[in-house]
Amino acid sequence: MTDEVTLDIVDDGRGFTVTDGGAQRPDSFGLAIRQRVEQLGGSFVLESAPGQGTAVAVTFPTGQGLPS
């Protein structure tokens, strides 16, 4: 990909329930990474389900305007 950079993180752990607001666990930080990524002009995708593991994808465009 020449116009973006992407980081994917996947595990095969316990997984958890995902809601529109993020993770639904009382002991989590709500995945504050989503807010930071979006502030920097990127996109954030979280996929998880109980017993199915978790996948996180972060993508940023390259080129002008990307904070250093």
Side-chain angles (χ1 to χ4, degrees):
M1 293 179 269
T2 60
D3 59 345
E4 63 186 20
V5 61
T6 301
L7 171 68
D8 293 322
I9 303 169
V10 180
D11 75 21
D12 60 354
R14 302 184 298 184
F16 52 89
T17 301
V18 178
T19 65
D20 289 339
Q24 186 169 353
R25 288 182 46 183
D27 61 341
S28 77
F29 291 101
L31 290 169
I33 189 173
R34 176 190 305 270
Q35 181 180 12
R36 184 67 176 140
V37 166
E38 291 174 352
Q39 286 174 343
L40 293 171
S43 64
F44 175 89
V45 176
L46 170 68
E47 296 176 351
S48 188
Q52 300 296 313
T54 302
V56 175
V58 175
T59 303
F60 287 101
T62 60
Q64 290 185 312
L66 187 64
S68 54

